[in-house]
Amino acid sequence: MSPDGHTSIASTSVLVALGERSYEILIGRGLLAHAGHFILPVLSQKRAFIVTDANVAATYLSPLATTLSQSGIKTDHVIVPAGEASKDINHLAQVLDAMLAAKCERKTMIVALGGGVVGDLAGLASSILLRGVDFIQIPTTLLSQVDSSVGGKTGINTSAGKNLVGSFHQPRLVLADTETLSTLPRRELLAGYAEVAKYGLLGDAALFAWLEANAQTALALGTNDQTALIHAIATSCRAKAKIVAEDEKESGARALLNLGHTFGHALEAEMGYGGQLLHGEAVAIGMVLAFELSARMGLCSKDDAVRAKRHLASIGLPVSPPKTGPRGKITPEALMAHMAQDKKVADGKMTFVLARGIGQAFLSREVSEPALRATLAQALAS
Ligand code: NAD
Ligand code: GLY
């Protein structure tokens, strides 16, 4: 796909190959200001309904509405509060009500403009509005550009836990404008980077080695040259697209994308989702713990576990679990209790993503409790 003859925007394209539900991820600098050109070909009707959050709306809603209007696309929108708390049943109802009040029809395109919170919420709303309408992702955080906007998982949280209500609903197009990352708080950028490193650690040793050498350059957003950043995002999206194409509904290989997440979700639950520990930060710590557990079980070398930890720390990510949370001292038992409630528990057994080395993750249901407890105890004591 390319913009019209008047505009030339360099973008990298990644295909998510899912038969008739295939779609492109376009990654490039300045895509948002020309979104109308890219979106027009996938519309069945010249109407779009934008879902965004208050932070993102302040900077990006007007440029998006302008480019869509220049392409003759009529827009309506709803703005939810920024933050994880918007991923709940009340905000889902608010978004659906706004779509119906705007008289969205089956052919109206829903556009998710924002991070993973907006993408998950708008994606779920579009999968149930009028029994399902199309949607487009315009991710504006690094995490959403490399992970949540790709693959069609949508969801909200309930009092029982994160992402427990949702659907698989693939977008029609993903537009990842790297320029939008320049307004992202540095801490959010680094949290998103954890998911980039994840693709190297789970299945691509060459990517991990490239990141060791180039991640600082990729994350230096002040420069004009975004080649390294775009390469990192495109390589991440390619890795995710390949896994999603093989296993869209997570009956096997897709679970590898959860490297670090069983530990990470337990830490997030223990810390209380109040922003003290961002999702990507929890994943960074979780990936270190997954490698340390793998080394303790004799599956991978201690050197690989040290290498994973050293790289994440060098980027500025936390690599050891917090010692205390809102409920006081964090213990291995408390974390193990959260893990036992994980979505991936089957027949009472937890599934872990372990590694035989950098880039060699695999699924295991054979983790001994003493090894897990010892890994957690050592990390919490360090
Ligand atoms: P987020 O959407 O909350 O965004 C983080 C913060 O950055 C918010 O305050 C937001 O308003 C702000 N923001 C977004 N873009 C900005 C920009 N360009 N400039 C300035 N501020 C900006 O969080 P996230 O990290 O993008 O996503 C986390 C969510 O994604 C979680 O709910 C997680 O469960 C979900 N997730 C989903 C999947 C999936 O496959 N569906 C995968 C991973 C994570
Ligand atoms: N973030 C994990 C997945 O999309 O499967």
Side-chain angles (χ1 to χ4, degrees):
M1 203 187 302
S2 63
D4 72 10
H6 305 295
T7 333
S8 154
I9 309 147
S11 65
T12 300
S13 170
V14 174
L15 179 73
V16 185
L18 286 167
E20 62 181 14
R21 285 171 294 105
S22 297
Y23 54 96
E24 271 188 299
I25 307 162
L26 296 182
I27 304 142
R29 192 172 193 173
L31 289 179
L32 184 111
H34 302 277
H37 296 293
F38 297 104
I39 289 178
L40 210 45
V42 297
L43 294 186
S44 315
Q45 176 189 58
K46 283 193 163 186
R47 276 198 68 190
F49 186 95
I50 303 165
V51 182
T52 189
D53 77 22
N55 288 345
V56 178
T59 313
Y60 299 109
L61 180 56
S62 168
L64 178 61
T66 301
T67 169
L68 294 182
S69 144
Q70 282 164 353
S71 292
I73 304 163
K74 178 182 174 310
T75 61
D76 294 287
H77 67 261
V78 66
I79 301 173
V80 297
E84 189 70 26
S86 284
K87 247 179 73 171
D88 73 352
I89 194 85
N90 297 323
H91 290 91
L92 176 67
Q94 182 200 332
V95 167
L96 289 166
D97 283 344
M99 290 169 172
L100 292 168
K103 307 232 175 317
C104 286
E105 299 174 1
R106 280 221 166 113
K107 289 183 175 176
T108 305
M109 184 64 79
I110 307 303
V111 179
L113 171 70
V117 164
V118 161
D120 281 9
L121 181 66
L124 178 55
S126 61
S127 76
I128 53 177
L129 179 77
L130 305 174
R131 299 210 169 87
V133 300
D134 285 346
F135 86 118
I136 287 170
Q137 292 267 17
I138 304 188
T140 61
T141 63
L142 183 56
L143 182 139
S144 55
Q145 295 190 351
V146 299
D147 191 357
S148 62
S149 68
V150 178
K153 277 189 186 174
T154 80
I156 54 168
N157 309 320
T158 75
S159 54
K162 269 195 74 167
N163 299 327
L164 292 181
V165 172
S167 61
F168 285 97
H169 186 53
Q170 300 293 341
R172 291 293 315 279
L173 176 70
V174 180
L175 286 183
D177 181 352
T178 51
E179 187 66 38
T180 60
L181 302 182
S182 61
T183 53
L184 195 61
R186 184 83 188 160
R187 189 177 163 211
E188 295 284 356
L189 183 78
L190 296 187
Y193 177 77
E195 304 281 4
V196 176
K198 181 186 79 177
Y199 295 110
L201 288 171
L202 78 85
D204 189 343
L207 169 64
F208 190 76
W210 184 87
L211 290 170
E212 287 178 311
N214 296 289
Q216 300 286 6
T217 309
L219 295 171
L221 296 181
T223 65
N224 274 329
D225 183 1
Q226 291 197 334
T227 315
L229 176 65
I230 291 171
H231 177 75
I233 295 172
T235 309
S236 300
C237 288
R238 242 173 246 123
K240 181 153 184 183
K242 184 166 180 287
I243 290 178
V244 168
E246 278 166 23
D247 178 25
E248 184 182 5
K249 301 263 170 89
E250 197 169 304
S251 51
R254 186 162 180 169
L256 292 173
L257 295 172
N258 295 322
L259 175 63
H261 284 59
T262 300
F263 290 105
H265 284 159
L267 288 166
E268 282 183 275
E270 195 58 18
M271 294 303 288
Y273 308 110
Q276 287 190 59
L277 190 68
L278 300 178
H279 175 71
E281 294 171 338
V283 168
I285 300 166
M287 291 191 296
V288 171
L289 291 170
F291 268 82
E292 287 177 347
L293 175 59
S294 302
R296 182 177 290 276
M297 292 171 70
L299 296 164
C300 83
S301 72
K302 285 197 176 119
D303 284 355
D304 277 347
V306 168
R307 195 176 150 201
K309 185 173 184 172
R310 192 172 48 221
H311 173 62
L312 295 168
S314 77
I315 294 302
L317 279 160
V319 288
S320 303
K323 309 296 174 278
T324 55
R327 285 175 239 163
K329 193 165 180 275
I330 297 180
T331 62
E333 285 66 32
L335 294 176
M336 287 165 75
H338 289 300
M339 289 179 194
Q341 292 177 329
D342 197 271
K343 281 203 286 301
K344 295 178 291 298
V345 173
D347 301 327
K349 274 193 150 186
M350 285 185 260
T351 305
F352 279 85
V353 187
L354 299 179
R356 296 197 175 87
I358 304 276
Q360 296 174 60
F362 67 100
L363 300 177
S364 170
R365 301 189 67 206
E366 307 303 329
V367 170
S368 78
E369 234 180 83
L372 177 60
R373 184 174 287 106
T375 301
L376 292 170
Q378 188 177 24
L380 287 164
S382 66

